Amino acid sequence: MKAHRGQLRHLAGGLIAGSVVVGLLAIGVRAGWGGSTARALEAATLFLAAAAYVAHVLAHHDDRRELLTRSILVSAFALWGIVQIAPGLPGNAVLNDIVIVLFVVDLAVLVSPWI
């Protein structure tokens, strides 16, 4: 079990490093010419971050509260990636609002003494 957790930690580290690299590339592309390539890179950054967090959650799920907050965060990153990659998607404004609420709920669970 510990070896499995170690592999997941390494996977999470590789995915988040990839996310940072792709994010920096997205900034350069956005500054240069933008367009659909920049949006695809921005979405990839978010999807890689979500995948890294899933690997992290699987390696470190200790209690239900942590599992809940981490799942909320993964969902927010994944939906945000969809918003980035498909800006013309009908209902995109609603998806964006859902992402915002997910981030706020995640923060509320983290800082609230009653949960």
Side-chain angles (χ1 to χ4, degrees):
M1 184 66 155
K2 287 186 180 188
H4 181 67
R5 284 186 175 208
Q7 290 173 337
L8 286 170
R9 286 185 193 119
H10 287 300
L11 177 61
L15 288 167
I16 202 61
S19 180
V20 169
V21 169
V22 173
L24 292 171
L25 183 59
I27 292 168
V29 170
R30 173 67 64 199
W33 62 87
S36 62
T37 302
R39 286 193 306 275
L41 290 169
E42 291 161 354
T45 301
L46 294 164
F47 292 142
L48 286 166
Y53 212 54
V54 167
H56 177 79
V57 166
L58 292 174
H60 298 284
H61 64 284
D62 294 327
D63 63 38
R64 288 183 185 195
R65 180 179 178 178
E66 287 181 33
L67 190 57
L68 172 67
T69 59
R70 291 173 178 176
S71 297
I72 291 169
L73 194 57
V74 166
S75 300
F77 275 112
L79 287 173
W80 191 10
I82 292 169
V83 169
Q84 290 300 112
I85 203 164
L89 186 70
N92 221 5
V94 173
L95 275 180
N96 200 33
D97 292 342
I98 291 169
V99 169
I100 292 167
V101 169
L102 287 172
F103 279 123
V104 172
V105 168
D106 182 59
L107 182 61
V109 171
L110 288 173
V111 301
S112 68
W114 60 87
I115 296 179

